[in-house]
Amino acid sequence: MEATTKTSSALARRSRRRLERRKSVQLMTLAVPGIIWFLVFCYFPMVGAVIAFKDYKPKQGIWGSEWVGLENFKFLFSSNDAGRLVFNTIFYNFLSIFLVALVSVIIAILMDLVDKRIYLKTYQTMLFLPRFVSWVVVGYMSVILFHYEYGLMNQIIRAMGGKSISWFLEPKYWRYILPAFSVWKTMGYTSLIYYGTIMGIDTQIFESAEIDGATTFGKIWHITLPLLKSTIIIMSLMSVGSIMRADFGLFYYVPNNSGALYAVTDVLDTYIYRALRGAGDMASSAAASFFQSVVGLIMVVTCNAIVKKIDDESSLF
């Protein structure tokens, strides 16, 4: 009997292992297209990072070009505008991370409070639509809004008895306009992520809170927001990795590349683009991109370490 029992147990274990292997193979097969995409577009191109340390000549190729060490990085730091560019890039990115998270969480909570689900799909579509609009199109929209003579904003101001504003010549307004466009274009996508997290919360928790007399605001404050914390932190940590990379379309097309606005709209990406558009210096461009990536990596690792010390379960890794 004991031998029969042991044999049956061994067969059961082998059967379970076979089933687990089969499931693993299926999952790995589903992951193959994603793995290939990351290898082709993210990891293989990293070999080209050596261009940042070479005097790159197309005829000589990447490996035939001469090594110049950190010479290409002088392009970034020798400019008198370097401090302003770095400040603008970091300022707008941090502001965007904060505002997008704040607005997206509010929208996700409001969507969860919608009683008639038939309207929810309409709201989701309206919020998600801006993500598919090209920055070039948004640039034309900004002209329609802020044109001195025909712009919608100036028409409203004149109708109220005011004077037209030269929006594309007045830097002081763009500290507010650019973050507004960024939030408008991004909030739909991130709000759906937060909404999905809210939908995954056990409804029994809310029901228990209602029995205890919790109000709608009380349930949001004591249940929804605490359970959203990990998702908010993870999304923010992933955004911090691009802290030195500005959204080129936002800062180039929306202000219409107006020279009068460079003080508040010029960031590393737009400066590098304009500086290298004529010279075509790929080595200096690669050095700038390498610098942005290294700073982003340091920021992610540092912020994740801080989060891990405070709350281990909310850290990214």
Side-chain angles (χ1 to χ4, degrees):
M1 285 293 291
E2 288 183 9
T4 305
T5 304
K6 287 181 179 179
T7 304
S8 300
S9 300
L11 289 171
R13 284 195 298 271
R14 279 199 293 269
S15 178
R16 282 196 299 271
R17 283 198 293 267
R18 197 178 299 115
L19 181 61
E20 289 173 1
R21 280 197 297 269
R22 192 179 296 120
K23 287 181 179 179
S24 298
V25 170
Q26 292 172 353
L27 290 173
M28 287 299 296
T29 303
L30 290 172
V32 164
I35 293 171
I36 292 173
W37 187 92
F38 274 103
L39 287 173
V40 173
F41 293 103
C42 296
Y43 288 96
F44 291 159
M46 289 176 69
V47 177
V50 298
I51 294 176
F53 305 95
K54 291 197 166 201
D55 182 16
Y56 178 70
K57 305 292 183 185
K59 289 184 179 180
Q60 298 175 0
I62 295 176
W63 305 113
S65 300
E66 182 184 353
W67 290 93
V68 293
L70 301 176
E71 194 69 25
N72 292 320
F73 291 87
K74 291 182 180 179
F75 166 77
L76 271 179
F77 302 105
S78 61
S79 170
N80 295 328
D81 301 322
R84 173 175 57 82
L85 296 170
V86 171
F87 171 79
N88 283 344
T89 305
I90 295 175
F91 169 78
Y92 283 118
N93 276 326
F94 268 123
L95 186 62
S96 178
I97 291 170
F98 172 75
L99 290 178
V100 168
L102 177 64
V103 174
S104 299
V105 168
I106 292 172
I107 290 173
I109 292 171
L110 291 176
M111 285 196 295
D112 185 55
L113 296 176
V114 173
D115 291 329
K116 295 183 178 179
R117 298 291 170 180
I118 189 172
Y119 297 122
L120 188 58
K121 297 295 181 184
T122 305
Y123 299 149
Q124 289 176 344
T125 303
M126 291 173 61
L127 290 168
F128 204 77
L129 187 61
R131 185 173 178 84
F132 296 101
V133 180
S134 167
W135 278 121
V136 178
V137 176
V138 178
Y140 283 109
M141 290 170 57
S142 73
V143 174
I144 293 170
L145 285 172
F146 303 118
H147 190 276
Y148 182 79
E149 188 174 351
Y150 307 110
L152 180 60
M153 294 297 295
N154 279 336
Q155 289 185 33
I156 294 172
I157 291 170
R158 287 196 298 267
M160 296 175 67
K163 294 183 179 180
S164 296
I165 299 173
S166 300
W167 297 97
F168 291 105
L169 297 176
E170 295 284 349
K172 61 183 178 181
Y173 300 110
W174 290 87
R175 289 286 189 200
Y176 309 98
I177 294 173
L178 290 174
F181 271 102
S182 178
V183 171
W184 171 77
K185 204 169 189 302
T186 314
M187 65 181 181
Y189 171 73
T190 50
S191 64
L192 290 182
I193 295 175
Y194 294 130
Y195 177 67
T197 304
I198 294 172
M199 292 296 291
I201 299 174
D202 191 347
T203 55
Q204 292 182 356
I205 300 175
F206 293 105
E207 291 170 1
S208 300
E210 285 182 8
I211 293 171
D212 291 337
T215 61
T216 301
F217 180 77
K219 288 186 290 183
I220 292 171
W221 186 258
H222 296 289
I223 299 173
T224 306
L225 290 178
L227 292 176
L228 271 177
K229 183 182 71 173
S230 295
T231 306
I232 295 171
I233 291 173
I234 290 171
M235 292 288 289
S236 299
L237 284 174
M238 293 176 69
S239 300
V240 165
S242 303
I243 200 70
M244 291 298 292
R245 293 183 183 277
D247 195 327
F248 176 82
L250 171 65
F251 294 97
Y252 188 81
Y253 293 111
V254 174
N256 207 24
N257 193 29
S258 173
L261 304 178
Y262 285 169
V264 295
T265 64
D266 208 12
V267 291
L268 282 170
D269 297 75
T270 54
Y271 176 80
I272 293 165
Y273 172 75
R274 283 195 304 271
L276 301 179
R277 183 172 52 185
D281 189 348
M282 291 182 63
S284 296
S285 180
S289 182
F290 186 84
F291 168 73
Q292 290 173 309
S293 299
V294 170
V295 172
L297 175 63
I298 293 170
M299 289 294 294
V300 169
V301 173
T302 304
C303 292
N304 185 77
I306 295 170
V307 171
K308 197 167 187 176
K309 272 196 170 185
I310 298 170
D311 184 3
D312 187 47
E313 293 183 0
S314 299
S315 61
L316 190 60
F317 50 85

